[in-house]
């Protein structure tokens, strides 16, 4: 028997009733070392409303929390802010337990997506952006936020409670027994929010900017996302970070990312790291054998300079490097300076493949391709360092 699961009141008559996924460690290739939550919120009013559901495997956990507050059959509305199955997977279970409830979703994209996933035999209530829904003393407002991060996304706003139910925006993959940002500490929450943005939301910066503009007229002192903890003490901080991250502005900060077979590319990577340091640019070194690409992407969100190195293996770059470059291209960081490099024996294909991939990311390549044949030598490594310093130094001077 499981212990009784409890809901948590986050505002008067507004309850968290979600699920905690303590053991989630991978979300579409993104490592979730702190697990996650699938947040749902129950609003008690004349017409009781459930905002979001959860991943299918957590449906019973969510329903048990709801039953500690009310009989689910009393729910009048189920708001589906997003179609993706970590949010909507429990919808069939919830709809069965709430036979009189209408399912509110965005129009037309939410309706299309939910119908495709679960069929059309549901009591859907599609809404346009800006539409409102009276549930008693509260009037809920819906704001579409397309491509943050699917076409159907929307947020729900309760002016009465001053709460923004933000769905994926401002979320974190972070499992906790606590529900609020100030209960777990800002550094941890913000680090997880940054990783979430970098690995999920980064390609949609323009859409995030549009969403922030669309929310500008709303007054709220709490952001209740669908993953992680609820923002109540650091609302301003996370709004400022989202404004920064979606701007695409990068810091004078360098990453050197590589894999190596017999340590020559590794030696080049270390020489390049030293070159950045010598011109006054903070730098970090990442061996792809020791660092997951989703953690590296969290740093890419802030870094202007991205050096990527590979030797040649089977007439191409190493698979680890190719996988990272493919992942990074999909997340579409903009305005970066790239430095392709690597060693080779009888064929320069690996470093050249890296250069082509960085060009496909639309990176500026001021050094061309930096290569070294066979094993490293002090003279060769000095030449690598000098080439990077000569190319990067003027760019850094311009930025200061």
């Amino acid at each position: 028997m499981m212990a009784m699961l409890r809901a948590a009141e986050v505002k008067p008559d507004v309850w968290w009733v979600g699920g905690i996924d303590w053991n989630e460690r991978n979300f579409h290739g993104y490592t979730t070392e702190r697990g996650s939550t699938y947040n749902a919120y129950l609003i008690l009013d004349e017409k009781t409303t459930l905002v979001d559901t959860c991943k299918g495997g957590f449906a019973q956990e969510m329903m048990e929390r709801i039953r500690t507050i009310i009989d689910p059959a009393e729910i009048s509305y189920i708001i589906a802010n997003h179609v993706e199955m970590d949010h909507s997977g429990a919808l069939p279970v919830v709809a069965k337990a709430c036979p009189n409830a209408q399912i509110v979703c965005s129009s037309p994209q939410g309706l299309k997506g939910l119908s495709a996933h679960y069929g059309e035999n549901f009591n859907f209530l599609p809404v346009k952006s800006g539409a409102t829904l009276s549930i008693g003393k509260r009037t809920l407002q819906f704001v579409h936020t397309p491509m943050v991060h699917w076409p159907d996304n929307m947020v729900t706003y309760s002016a009465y409670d001053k709460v923004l139910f933000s769905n994926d925006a401002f979320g974190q993959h972070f499992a906790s027994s606590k529900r609020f940002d100030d209960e777990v500490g800002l550094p941890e929450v913000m680090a997880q929010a940054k990783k979430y943005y970098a690995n999920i939301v980064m390609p949609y910066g323009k859409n995030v900017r549009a969403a922030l503009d669309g929310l500008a007229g709303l007054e709220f002192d709490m952001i209740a996302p669908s993953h992680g903890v609820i923002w109540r003490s650091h609302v301003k901080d996370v709004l400022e970070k989202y404004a920064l991250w979606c701007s695409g502005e990068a810091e004078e900060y360098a990453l050197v990312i590589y894999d190596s077979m017999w340590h020559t590319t590794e030696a080049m990577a270390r020489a390049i790291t030293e070159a950045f340091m010598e011109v006054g640019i903070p730098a970090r070194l990442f061996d792809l054998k020791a660092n997951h690409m989703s953690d590296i992407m969290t740093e890419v969100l802030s870094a202007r300079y991205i050096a990527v190195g590979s030797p040649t293996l089977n007439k191409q770059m190493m698979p680890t490097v190719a996988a990272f470059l493919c992942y990074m291209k999909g997340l579409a960081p903009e305005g970066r300076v790239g430095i392709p490099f690597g060693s080779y024996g009888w064929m320069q294909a690996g470093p050249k493949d890296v250069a082509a991939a960085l060009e496909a990311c639309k990176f500026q390549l001021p050094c061309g391709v930096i290569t070294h044949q066979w094993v490293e030598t002090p003279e060769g490594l000095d030449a690598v360092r000098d080439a990077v310093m000569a190319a990067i130094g003027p760019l850094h001077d311009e930025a200061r």
Side-chain angles (χ1 to χ4, degrees), residues 132-147:
T132 59
L133 177 67
S134 175
I135 61 172
K137 58 189 175 183
R138 294 170 175 82
T139 295
L140 304 179
Q141 181 178 347
F142 307 104
V143 179
H144 289 196
T145 54
M147 298 316 301

Side-chain angles (χ1 to χ4, degrees), residues 113-154:
L114 291 174
S115 298
H117 280 75
Y118 308 111
E120 298 179 356
N121 295 323
F122 289 88
N123 189 9
F124 290 120
L125 176 60
V127 294
K128 298 291 187 181
S129 189
T132 59
L133 177 67
S134 175
I135 61 172
K137 58 189 175 183
R138 294 170 175 82
T139 295
L140 304 179
Q141 181 178 347
F142 307 104
V143 179
H144 289 196
T145 54
M147 298 316 301
V148 186
H149 63 127
W150 277 24
D152 66 284
N153 279 81
M154 70 178 185

Side-chain angles (χ1 to χ4, degrees), residues 159-323:
Y160 181 91
D161 303 293
K162 293 186 178 180
V163 175
L164 179 70
F165 299 97
S166 64
N167 196 254
D168 272 332
F170 313 111
Q172 331 95 50
H173 281 307
F174 180 63
S176 172
S177 60
K178 304 294 185 181
R179 301 273 64 84
F180 296 104
D181 55 352
D182 50 34
E183 294 179 318
V184 296
L186 182 61
E188 177 67 36
V189 179
M190 197 62 79
Q192 294 299 332
K194 182 179 182 181
K195 184 173 183 179
Y196 187 96
Y197 186 98
N199 286 275
I200 294 179
V201 188
M202 190 195 300
Y204 313 110
K206 292 179 181 178
N207 305 92
V208 173
R209 180 69 267 168
L212 291 175
D213 291 342
L215 300 175
L218 306 181
E219 183 182 353
F220 50 89
D221 58 19
M222 180 178 288
I223 298 176
S226 286
H227 296 294
V229 296
I230 297 165
W231 301 91
R232 67 176 179 186
S233 293
H234 301 289
V235 170
K236 181 180 178 182
D237 297 293
V238 73
L239 287 171
E240 288 176 349
K241 287 296 186 182
Y242 260 62
L244 173 63
W245 296 335
C246 76
S247 73
E249 294 180 14
E251 302 172 16
E252 285 295 291
Y253 172 43
L255 307 179
V256 183
I257 303 149
Y258 72 96
D259 200 349
S260 192
M261 295 168 63
W262 297 108
H263 304 296
T264 299
T265 299
E266 178 182 358
M268 296 175 71
R270 294 183 181 280
I272 291 169
T273 303
E274 291 293 326
F276 281 115
M277 294 165 62
E278 287 192 36
V279 299
I281 299 173
R284 289 196 66 181
L285 182 69
F286 289 98
D287 183 342
L288 284 164
K289 290 188 292 294
N291 298 275
H292 195 272
M293 57 190 178
S294 62
D295 293 314
I296 297 173
M297 282 307 306
T298 307
E299 301 297 323
V300 169
L301 180 61
S302 301
R304 182 186 181 195
Y305 305 94
I306 313 293
V308 181
S310 175
T312 298
L313 175 67
N314 299 327
K315 300 181 181 180
Q316 60 185 354
M317 60 181 151
M318 291 188 73
T320 49
V321 180

Side-chain angles (χ1 to χ4, degrees), residues 66-138:
I66 291 172
R67 288 188 181 101
T68 65
I69 308 300
I70 62 160
D71 179 350
E74 297 177 26
I75 294 174
S76 299
Y77 295 108
I78 302 164
I79 297 173
N81 279 323
H82 183 23
V83 170
E84 194 171 7
M85 287 180 284
D86 54 324
H87 306 266
S88 71
L91 192 58
V93 172
V94 179
K96 185 175 181 180
C98 311
N100 299 315
Q102 287 185 285
I103 300 170
V104 182
C105 60
S106 65
S107 174
Q109 296 293 348
L111 178 61
K112 289 179 180 178
L114 291 174
S115 298
H117 280 75
Y118 308 111
E120 298 179 356
N121 295 323
F122 289 88
N123 189 9
F124 290 120
L125 176 60
V127 294
K128 298 291 187 181
S129 189
T132 59
L133 177 67
S134 175
I135 61 172
K137 58 189 175 183
R138 294 170 175 82

